[in-house]
Amino acid sequence: MPLRDINDLEKLKKINAALVDRVERSMDQQGNAFSLFQTAISLENRVRTRTEELHSTLRRLEQSNIDLSAAKENAEFANLSKTRFLAAASHDVLQPLNAAHLSVSALAELQTSDEGRKLVRQVERSLETMEDLLRTLLDISKLDAGVVHPDIGDVSLEALFSSLRSDFQPVAEMKRLSLKFRPVNAVVRSDRTLLRRILQNILSNALGYTRSGGVLVGTRHRGDTIRIDVADTGCGIPEDQREAVFEEFHRGTLPANAGLDGGGLGLGLAIVRRMAGALGHPVTFSSKVGRGTIFHIDVPVGIGAPADAIASATSLERSRGYGLFGTKVLLVENDAEVLEAMTFLLERWQCLVRAATSTNDALDLLGDTDWVPDIIIADQHLDGGDLGTATISEVRDYLGRAVPALIVTADSSEAVAKAARADGIELMRKPLKPAQLRALLAHLLA
């Protein structure tokens, strides 16, 4: 029906409302479509932005990985350089110190007056303190650099305790302290040298910080572990210093009249923590101020007792009294000062010494068929790139017999130790303790 034919006003209103409603719905639909269009564009922009940000983050991550890799390579190179420096430092710094030790020891035997002996002893103590400090700093640096590789094996605690008792009994007696080791028939899995150093440092601290009473060393079985206890009746460790005692150069408060060794260099427990970490042996302690401290070292139980552990230690103790009179020594050393000092010392012990600086020199000395060495003492690093272990091997081949031999070196690397062990050669580190050298020579010749 045409609109002009409609006279009913109400109908016209309804038709108008219907038309308006239809138009509004149409507009809403168009608006919704436009809104969706705008939303899609906005989302696309946001996706593009996020994608660019992600690509940027990935590029930064790749660059960070490259930087980290470069930093790791630099760190590894620095560690390698540090290792080489430490090896050089060990040799170059300890070499003159070794010569001084030998010279002072020989000088001590020439003194006839009390004043002269007193001055020599003062020099010896200064050299020993310097040696301890240098060795400890080098040890800490090597442990931090990760170049110390434990040689794990079965270690007889009885033999280890016997060795420690021999070293520390005079110190305890001088301070009028008791030092007791409970008998133990046990074997543990550890590196004998590192474990001994741990116990040695703890014992030194215990005696140093104890005024009266003494120190007791014992063991307890705890399943697959043996706990070594070192208990003292010293001044104790305050609660607020429990962590500080393991820091470098930390020295506790000394009790009055504690004795000459109290306090030390403040490096003993720093070494203990690092060595124990390298071995995987937990070290803990309990302490009461004024009553004492007990250190605990947990070590895995060993597989079986070394056949010659106790016998070797006993044999070495017996051999200390043997003389060296008339012993023929082939000495191979390229450092002039060390060579002179060592020769003088050996001759004071009534040895007959022939000295060489290289393998060829040593072989030339053997041309005299009437002179055959009873023992060979050689430095590891000789003139012309010669190695002491190789020199000893050639001398033995020339003589046709396994002459007892000793490598004396400032090179503390495991490679030298392995080379010596492989050829049945004893090894001593510089600087030498003359008394230890004499005892070992007597043991090798017994």
Side-chain angles (χ1 to χ4, degrees):
M1 178 185 296
L3 290 175
R4 61 177 179 272
D5 294 335
I6 300 174
N7 297 320
D8 191 342
L9 183 59
E10 288 303 320
K11 286 185 178 180
L12 287 173
K13 287 181 179 180
K14 289 180 180 180
I15 292 171
N16 181 62
L19 291 171
V20 170
D21 182 60
R22 183 177 295 177
V23 170
E24 287 178 350
R25 286 202 304 270
S26 177
M27 291 178 66
D28 286 342
Q29 290 175 354
Q30 291 178 4
N32 288 338
F34 181 71
S35 176
L36 288 172
F37 177 68
Q38 285 184 316
T39 301
I41 292 175
S42 176
L43 286 172
E44 184 179 358
N45 289 335
R46 289 170 64 185
V47 168
R48 185 182 297 110
T49 301
R50 295 292 184 272
T51 302
E52 290 175 354
E53 290 176 353
L54 181 60
H55 286 161
S56 177
T57 301
L58 287 173
R59 284 194 294 272
R60 287 198 300 271
L61 183 59
E62 289 174 356
Q63 185 60 45
S64 296
N65 286 337
I66 292 172
D67 293 341
L68 285 172
S69 179
K72 183 181 177 219
E73 289 179 4
N74 290 335
E76 289 174 349
F77 180 76
N79 264 343
L80 181 60
S81 299
K82 183 177 181 181
T83 303
R84 289 173 177 168
F85 168 76
L86 289 172
S90 298
H91 187 273
D92 295 342
V93 174
L94 296 177
Q95 191 82 326
L97 192 58
N98 180 58
H101 263 301
L102 296 172
S103 297
V104 169
S105 180
L107 182 62
E109 297 189 14
L110 298 176
Q111 300 305 309
T112 56
S113 68
D114 291 341
E115 186 65 23
R117 284 190 287 269
K118 180 180 178 182
L119 288 173
V120 168
R121 183 56 193 149
Q122 288 177 350
V123 175
E124 286 180 335
R125 281 200 297 267
S126 297
L127 288 173
E128 287 168 1
T129 300
M130 185 187 304
E131 178 192 347
D132 287 343
L133 179 58
L134 285 171
R135 282 197 180 281
T136 303
L137 290 174
L138 287 169
D139 286 342
I140 287 177
S141 298
K142 289 175 182 176
L143 288 164
D144 287 345
V147 299
V148 175
H149 304 292
D151 182 13
I152 303 297
D154 284 341
V155 179
S156 166
L157 288 184
E158 182 59 39
L160 184 58
F161 286 1
S162 176
S163 172
L164 290 167
R165 183 189 298 109
S166 175
D167 287 351
F168 284 97
Q169 193 65 52
V171 178
E173 290 174 357
M174 182 182 67
K175 298 187 64 178
R176 297 181 180 178
L177 299 173
S178 69
L179 175 60
K180 296 181 180 179
F181 289 78
R182 285 180 177 163
V184 56
N185 183 22
V187 174
V188 295
R189 293 288 293 173
S190 186
D191 180 302
R192 188 184 190 282
T193 301
L194 295 182
L195 180 59
R196 190 187 194 283
R197 185 71 180 277
I198 289 171
L199 292 172
Q200 174 184 317
N201 286 2
I202 293 175
L203 275 169
S204 179
N205 262 27
L207 291 170
Y209 286 94
T210 299
R211 184 196 305 180
S212 62
V215 178
L216 173 65
V217 182
T219 60
R220 287 181 288 167
H221 283 265
R222 301 166 62 92
D224 294 335
T225 300
I226 290 180
R227 167 164 284 189
I228 304 173
D229 294 326
V230 181
D232 66 60
T233 57
C235 57
I237 300 171
E239 189 67 26
D240 60 354
Q241 293 186 28
R242 291 187 66 86
E243 283 302 314
V245 295
F246 291 104
E247 295 175 359
E248 294 88 346
F249 300 106
H250 176 85
R251 298 173 66 179
T253 303
L254 281 171
N257 303 319
L260 296 174
D261 296 326
L265 301 169
L267 291 168
L269 293 182
I271 280 283
V272 165
R273 170 165 280 186
R274 285 169 169 82
M275 287 187 172
L279 290 170
H281 300 344
V283 174
T284 55
F285 69 88
S286 55
S287 184
K288 289 186 178 180
V289 175
R291 297 186 61 181
T293 304
I294 306 176
F295 272 87
H296 315 286
I297 307 101
D298 293 329
V299 190
V301 174
I303 298 172
D308 59 346
I310 298 176
S312 177
T314 305
S315 175
L316 181 57
E317 290 299 319
R318 285 200 311 266
S319 69
R320 291 184 189 276
Y322 295 174
L324 298 175
F325 182 84
T327 299
K328 298 175 184 177
V329 180
L330 174 59
L331 176 61
V332 190
E333 170 64 68
N334 65 323
D335 185 286
E337 291 183 359
V338 175
L339 183 64
E340 181 179 359
M342 180 76 89
T343 300
F344 186 80
L345 182 65
L346 290 169
E347 288 178 347
R348 290 292 302 174
W349 293 343
Q350 306 300 311
C351 295
L352 306 175
V353 183
R354 290 197 178 184
T357 60
S358 66
T359 303
N360 288 335
D361 286 348
L363 293 174
D364 288 342
L365 292 175
L366 301 178
D368 182 357
T369 55
D370 294 333
W371 195 89
V372 177
D374 298 309
I375 195 165
I376 307 166
I377 302 175
D379 188 8
Q380 176 64 0
H381 301 287
L382 304 168
D383 286 346
D386 289 351
L387 297 178
T389 47
T391 301
I392 291 170
S393 179
E394 291 199 32
V395 169
R396 285 172 167 177
D397 288 344
Y398 181 88
L399 296 173
R401 66 188 186 92
V403 181
L406 168 65
I407 286 290
V408 178
T409 180
D411 187 342
S412 59
S413 68
E414 182 60 24
V416 174
K418 286 183 178 178
R421 284 197 299 268
D423 291 337
I425 301 171
E426 294 292 330
L427 179 69
M428 291 190 75
R429 308 290 189 189
K430 294 180 179 179
L432 290 178
K433 296 288 194 304
Q436 293 176 357
L437 173 63
R438 185 169 185 170
L440 180 57
L441 292 179
H443 172 64
L444 291 174
L445 294 166

